[in-house]
């Protein structure tokens, strides 16, 4: 299957009450592990590529690998820019073949965020590319983004509704208490905000920082209108644990395939468990 925009599956997710996972691709092993889980689970999914991952892998490699994976998995797959920081980056990704982009204008004042997101939506929708916007700031560290917990600001529901009405983004990320990275305690999710915003907008809500959120909280947020959930750190943790165990069990090992292979397998199992939890299994 060719890459598709998120609009190929997100409206159905919101209607039927499941969520589609965004799994970040960081290298070949991530790309393959995610793809294999989706193929076996018959689940749609979103490859997230951050600007850091694009710098690491190379833009053309990201697109080529995602296209090959989508063909092989034969399920609906979107290639999505994660936390795009500017109109320029968004346009570069669209020209290279991304089927979906996030423009993260959350650090701008509301009016400016709306204006910049509108520009992205106009350009992206003209060529059939879906758009995610963000309101409020999500705490934690992800690549170039670092937001101190104390500076993380939950989204104001009224502003979120206005943001969606004026931008018409296809997916709406709002800060509701989750954070990028693993949690020290249990995250306190503002379910009321999810419910209030979801009732008033057509687009599904996006939950960033999906790693380490308890299953029950994930299920509740999906019931209330979350239709896209981002997971990166948990795959990194399980992958690195598997590699570390292999290297510790055989200090003489030098063939990267022998330790990266188990890392890829760990990513696959993590992604599979998330697809089942999100209810996207069998929805391809
Ligand atoms: P985690 O790394 O916490 O899973 O968050 C991923 C994310 O939200 C990507 O935008």
């Amino acid at each position: 299957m060719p890459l598709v925009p998120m609009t190929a599956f997100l409206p159905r997710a919101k209607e039927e009450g499941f969520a589609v996972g965004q799994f970040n691709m960081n290298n070949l092993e991530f790309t393959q592990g995610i793809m294999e889980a989706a193929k076996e689970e018959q689940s749609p999914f979103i490859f997230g590529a951050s600007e850091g991952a694009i710098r690491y892998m190379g833009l053309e490699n990201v697109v080529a690998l995602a296209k090959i994976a989508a063909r092989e998995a034969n399920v609906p797959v979107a290639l999505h820019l994660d936390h795009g920081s500017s109109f320029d980056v968004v346009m570069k990704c669209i020209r290279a073949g991304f089927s979906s982009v996030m423009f993260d204008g959350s650090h701008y004042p509301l009016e400016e965020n709306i204006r910049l997101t509108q520009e992205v939506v106009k350009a992206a929708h003209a060529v059939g590319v879906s758009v995610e916007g963000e309101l409020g700031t999500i705490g934690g560290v992800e690549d170039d983004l670092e937001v101190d917990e104390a500076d993380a600001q939950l989204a104001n529901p009224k502003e979120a509704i206005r943001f969606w009405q004026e931008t018409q983004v296809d997916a709406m990320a709002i800060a509701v208490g989750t954070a990028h990275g693993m949690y020290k305690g249990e995250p306190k999710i503002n379910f009321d905000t999810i419910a209030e915003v979801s009732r008033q907008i057509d687009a599904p809500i996006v939950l960033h920082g999906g790693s380490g959120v308890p299953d029950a909280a994930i299920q509740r947020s999906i019931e209330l209108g979350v239709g896209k959930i981002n997971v990166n750190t948990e795959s990194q943790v399980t992958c690195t644990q598997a590699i570390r165990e292999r290297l510790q069990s055989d200090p003489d090992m030098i063939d990267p395939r022998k330790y990266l292979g188990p890392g890829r397998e760990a990513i696959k199992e993590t992604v599979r468990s998330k697809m089942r939890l999100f209810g996207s299994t069998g929805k391809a």
Side-chain angles (χ1 to χ4, degrees):
M1 242 183 229
L3 294 169
V4 295
M6 298 194 298
T7 41
F9 43 72
L10 286 191
R12 179 180 173 209
K14 181 158 179 174
E15 210 175 283
E16 294 183 17
F18 65 92
V20 178
Q22 173 192 302
F23 302 101
N24 285 58
M25 52 192 289
N26 299 304
N27 61 13
L28 177 66
E29 281 69 24
F30 272 74
T31 311
Q32 292 176 322
I34 296 163
M35 182 278 289
E36 284 169 17
K39 187 177 179 179
E40 289 176 16
E41 292 299 308
Q42 282 299 296
S43 168
F45 74 95
I46 300 151
F47 271 133
S50 65
E51 290 180 25
I54 293 170
R55 274 199 304 277
Y56 178 76
M57 297 172 74
L59 184 59
E60 287 185 36
N61 287 332
V62 169
V63 176
L65 289 174
K67 281 186 176 166
I68 294 166
R71 197 173 63 211
E72 205 173 325
N74 203 23
V75 298
V77 180
L79 173 60
H80 182 70
L81 169 64
D82 193 21
H83 292 284
S85 61
S86 68
F87 187 80
D88 279 9
V89 172
V90 163
M91 292 314 287
K92 276 193 187 109
C93 289
I94 293 177
R95 287 186 65 168
F98 277 56
S99 60
S100 190
V101 291
M102 173 182 189
F103 173 69
D104 179 359
S106 58
H107 44 286
Y108 291 106
L110 178 65
E111 303 292 334
E112 188 67 353
N113 189 4
I114 290 177
R115 191 185 67 75
L116 293 167
T117 306
Q118 281 170 336
E119 283 180 10
V120 168
V121 169
K122 196 169 166 209
H125 281 183
V127 290
V129 167
S130 53
V131 180
E132 174 181 342
E134 179 175 324
L135 202 72
T137 42
I138 293 157
V141 182
E142 195 195 26
D143 280 352
D144 312 339
L145 284 177
E146 183 166 353
V147 178
D148 203 74
E149 299 287 313
D151 296 332
Q153 276 204 340
L154 296 194
N156 171 317
K158 301 260 171 325
E159 289 182 358
I161 294 160
R162 185 183 150 208
F163 180 95
W164 179 79
Q165 286 168 341
E166 296 189 16
T167 62
Q168 296 290 307
V169 288
D170 305 296
M172 178 80 208
I174 51 176
V176 289
T178 54
H180 293 129
M182 291 308 257
Y183 299 91
K184 290 193 191 83
E186 207 174 282
K188 267 187 74 170
I189 298 180
N190 190 331
F191 293 108
D192 291 344
T193 297
I194 296 176
E196 186 179 344
V197 177
S198 178
R199 269 197 304 271
Q200 307 277 340
I201 71 172
D202 293 343
I205 287 170
V206 183
L207 198 67
H208 279 250
S211 296
V213 178
D215 290 1
I218 291 283
Q219 274 154 348
R220 176 129 190 255
S221 52
I222 295 172
E223 276 162 26
L224 295 173
V226 164
K228 171 178 183 276
I229 302 176
N230 294 4
V231 175
N232 185 24
T233 304
E234 233 176 284
S235 305
Q236 293 183 331
V237 168
T238 54
C239 170
T240 305
Q241 257 167 6
I243 292 171
R244 195 168 279 131
E245 277 164 24
R246 289 293 282 147
L247 291 175
Q248 276 169 353
S249 71
D250 184 357
D252 295 328
M253 185 181 288
I254 47 98
D255 182 345
R257 294 169 299 183
K258 296 214 167 106
Y259 54 84
L260 292 177
R264 178 173 63 191
E265 200 54 31
I267 295 163
K268 178 177 169 183
E269 292 315 316
T270 301
V271 170
R272 185 201 303 285
S273 71
K274 296 299 174 190
M275 286 171 168
R276 291 184 181 173
L277 174 64
F278 300 167
S280 67
T281 291
K283 303 287 188 185

